């Protein structure tokens, strides 16, 4: 997500990002220049999207799944695109119960993602699993990202609050 917002900002987009705490919100705004951060532990995402963006989101890069995916879909502009890059809120470790769809227009997030489905509904399109399968395209993308990094246009977010000692300490 932190790279996605940087790529979007680098392209000149107005970026809206969601996060769960004030530390992440501060990083998104101060370090990455996100235009609107919605801290969902303090704000209702649905209310903010409807009141401030009401159906005017052109591209939603979405990796949470569940209700977040449904909200992104509902708030897309005509011609808008939803890019499904995962569904972390519904992974087994999240203990969120069985995976389900929260939108009548979309399949379950895991099906959309793993089957790489494309769903067109009225004027909106959802793309599941947007990662390139062609090795040459992945190579070009990696080269582009490395160039952006070398030019200082994107930077990784590194959690330096934990000191790791050996590979077994990483989890």
């Amino acid at each position: 997500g932190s790279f996605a917002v940087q790529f979007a900002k680098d392209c000149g987009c107005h970026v809206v990002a969601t996060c769960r705490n004030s530390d992440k919100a501060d990083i998104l705004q101060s370090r990455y220049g996100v235009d609107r951060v919605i801290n969902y532990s303090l704000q209702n995402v649905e209310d903010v999207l409807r009141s401030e963006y009401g159906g005017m989101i052109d591209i939603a890069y979405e990796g949470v799944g569940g209700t977040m995916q449904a909200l992104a879909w509902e708030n897309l502009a005509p011609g808008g695109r939803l890019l499904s890059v995962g569904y972390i809120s519904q992974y087994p470790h999240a203990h969120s119960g069985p995976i389900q769809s929260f939108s009548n227009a979309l399949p379950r997030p895991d099906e959309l993602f793993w089957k790489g489905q494309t769903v067109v509904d009225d004027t909106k399109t959802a793309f599941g699993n947007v990662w390139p399968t062609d090795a040459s395209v992945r190579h070009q993308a990696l080269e582009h990202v490395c160039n952006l990094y070398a030019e200082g246009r994107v930077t990784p977010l590194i959690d330096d609050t934990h000191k790791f000692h050996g590979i077994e300490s990483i989890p």
Side-chain angles (χ1 to χ4, degrees):
S2 65
F3 275 109
V5 298
Q6 291 177 79
F7 297 149
K9 288 301 295 180
D10 190 65
C11 291
C13 297
H14 175 94
V15 176
V16 179
T18 60
C19 66
R20 138 176 76 194
N21 65 51
S22 298
D23 290 339
K24 289 181 183 178
D26 291 343
I27 290 168
L28 288 167
Q29 283 185 313
S30 65
R31 184 171 174 176
Y32 296 132
V34 169
D35 300 287
R36 179 61 162 98
V37 177
I38 305 170
N39 179 342
Y40 55 81
S41 66
L42 302 175
Q43 298 173 291
N44 181 295
V45 176
E46 182 175 12
D47 291 346
V48 172
L49 289 179
R50 288 197 177 158
S51 67
E52 296 180 27
Y53 296 95
M56 296 310 296
I57 296 172
D58 293 315
I59 298 175
Y61 175 94
E62 206 288 309
V64 177
T67 56
M68 197 68 79
Q69 184 181 73
L71 289 172
W73 178 254
E74 291 168 11
N75 286 281
L76 286 177
R81 295 163 307 258
L82 180 132
L83 311 177
S84 176
V85 297
Y87 50 101
I88 191 94
S89 71
Q90 296 178 292
Y91 289 174
H93 73 276
H95 308 293
S96 59
I99 297 173
Q100 57 185 351
S101 179
F102 287 80
S103 167
N104 291 333
L106 297 176
R108 290 182 359 201
D110 60 327
E111 292 174 350
L112 181 66
F113 179 77
W114 287 112
K115 293 180 180 177
Q117 295 178 334
T118 299
V119 176
V120 179
D121 182 28
D122 295 326
T123 63
K124 305 183 283 191
T125 306
F127 298 95
N129 196 354
V130 295
W131 307 116
T133 56
D134 182 295
S136 66
V137 173
R138 284 194 311 271
H139 178 75
Q140 289 173 348
L142 176 60
E143 193 171 301
H144 180 67
V145 170
C146 288
N147 288 335
L148 290 174
Y149 172 75
E151 294 166 9
R153 292 165 54 192
V154 297
T155 58
L157 181 58
I158 299 170
D159 181 356
D160 59 3
T161 60
H162 296 86
K163 300 300 177 204
F164 300 109
H165 303 284
I167 198 159
E168 59 278 341
S169 71
I170 292 174

